[in-house]
Amino acid sequence: MNESDLARARALVTEAARIVAFSGAGLSAESGVATFRGATRDSDASAPLWTRFDPARLASPEGFATDPETVAEWYAERRRSVQAARPNPAHRALASDGRIVNVTQNVDDLLHRAGASHIVQVHGTLTFDRCHRGCGYRTPVDMADPPGLRRCPQCPGRLRPDVVWFGETLPPDVWEEAVDACAACDLMLVVGTSAEVYPAAGLIDIARAAGAAIVVVNTEAGGAAGTADLELIGPAGEILPTITDG
Ligand code: BJW
Ligand code: ZN
């Protein structure tokens, strides 16, 4: 790790008044939660999800309509894996600085369990189910013993995880909160995301247009956001504790 880049990042963090940490699956990778994209390794349980599974089949309304049992089983497995995971030093670093608004694409609850106070989950959460028919029913899920496919108790619809699938719009109130935070920050830490999925990746452009400095933390060079002010290449769990005040 380049010491002068780390020192520059530390200075940006120290000087910033409002910080957004825009995170993705790489934030939870060191906790053992699989990412979606990235260099393919063995076909073990930590290899990126989209190298082992078809997103159109498992993370889209069309996939759920075609084979809801398979989708429910896949989410039960992922919920068990998140439940077994523990927050890592990167989660704790982001949780420990009260200036940081955590705008995350992650659907796990590891930032919550690390004690972060301000979390905006733009792709929803695995910890709740909601009615796929849209009657408004929403209920917490036992992550240690996740449910299989089940009916909505309020209407003829089926329950599904309270996450955002491909082709679905992001919850408008959550999206608005994310946009407002990004438009008002003077530093954005872009942590562990490929920044390939829109509209979420557009939050980086919103922060940049507002004049914020952009610092990317990623294990891969060029892994996110072409034009960062500073790119720190390495594991988030090693880098973030050294550049934050926590
Ligand atoms: C580390 C590390 C370590 C590893 N330390 N770093 C324009 C063109 C074509 C299509 C579209 C378009 N605009 C929109 C779309 C459609 C689509 C989209 O963006 N597709 C792209 C893939 C092209 N977007 C949507 O459908 C969205 N809705 C929408 O646009 O609605 C309006 C609309 C409707 C219809 C048509 C058009 C518009 C919704 C997107 C929902 C995404 N959902 C998922 C699944 C959530 C539920 C679940 O988890 O099951 O969200 S997909 C998946 O990707 C998940 C993530 O939140 C998201 C982002 O992934 P993330 O977090 O960046 O992870 P990775 O794996 O990609 O990257 C990990 C990174 O970490 C890598 O860079 C590693 O190097 C790094 N890393 N270890 C630091 N230790
Ligand atoms: Zn319902």
Side-chain angles (χ1 to χ4, degrees):
M1 177 53 52
N2 182 324
E3 282 304 323
S4 74
D5 282 352
L6 280 178
R8 274 179 67 204
R10 245 191 318 266
L12 285 168
V13 169
T14 304
E15 287 158 18
R18 297 177 190 206
I19 305 174
V20 166
F22 174 57
S23 57
L27 172 64
S28 298
E30 289 156 77
S31 296
V33 180
T35 62
F36 295 92
R37 303 163 190 83
T40 311
R41 287 162 292 174
D42 305 327
S43 58
D44 63 25
S46 65
L49 291 168
W50 296 158
T51 66
R52 296 180 281 140
F53 301 104
D54 176 4
R57 205 169 140 232
L58 296 167
S60 77
E62 295 77 16
F64 190 58
T66 306
D67 188 354
E69 283 87 3
T70 298
V71 174
E73 271 170 34
W74 188 64
Y75 276 97
E77 188 49 45
R78 287 184 54 210
R79 281 168 160 157
R80 278 190 285 268
S81 129
V82 165
Q83 178 67 15
R86 295 286 168 264
N88 69 54
H91 296 106
R92 287 196 286 276
L94 295 178
S96 63
D97 185 329
R99 294 169 301 164
I100 296 179
V101 177
N102 277 288
V103 176
T104 188
Q105 299 163 90
N106 294 350
V107 295
D108 64 49
D109 60 354
L110 295 174
L111 278 167
H112 302 77
R113 283 153 59 191
S117 53
H118 196 161
I119 304 168
V120 185
Q121 286 182 288
V122 292
H123 288 162
T125 174
L126 286 175
T127 63
F128 277 76
D129 267 348
R130 68 176 151 90
C131 176
H132 185 53
R133 200 164 186 253
C135 76
Y137 183 79
R138 187 171 181 267
T139 189
V141 161
D142 180 352
M143 296 284 283
D145 185 17
L149 187 63
R150 53 191 178 149
R151 291 270 169 205
C152 176
Q154 276 186 189
C155 83
R158 286 191 156 116
L159 297 188
R160 43 88 45 102
D162 188 15
V163 299
V164 181
W165 285 330
F166 283 112
E168 294 186 323
T169 51
L170 281 54
D173 50 337
V174 175
W175 179 245
E176 195 180 327
E177 191 181 356
V179 168
D180 288 351
C182 295
C185 72
D186 42 25
L187 173 64
M188 176 182 267
L189 304 173
V190 179
V191 181
T193 177
S194 59
E196 283 183 21
V197 174
Y198 281 82
L203 292 169
I204 303 168
D205 302 318
I206 290 173
R208 189 184 292 116
I214 309 292
V215 175
V216 168
V217 178
N218 200 297
T219 43
E220 307 276 326
T227 54
D229 295 285
L230 196 53
E231 201 178 29
L232 304 174
I233 310 300
E238 291 177 20
I239 293 174
L240 287 177
T242 73
I243 66 167
T244 56
D245 292 341

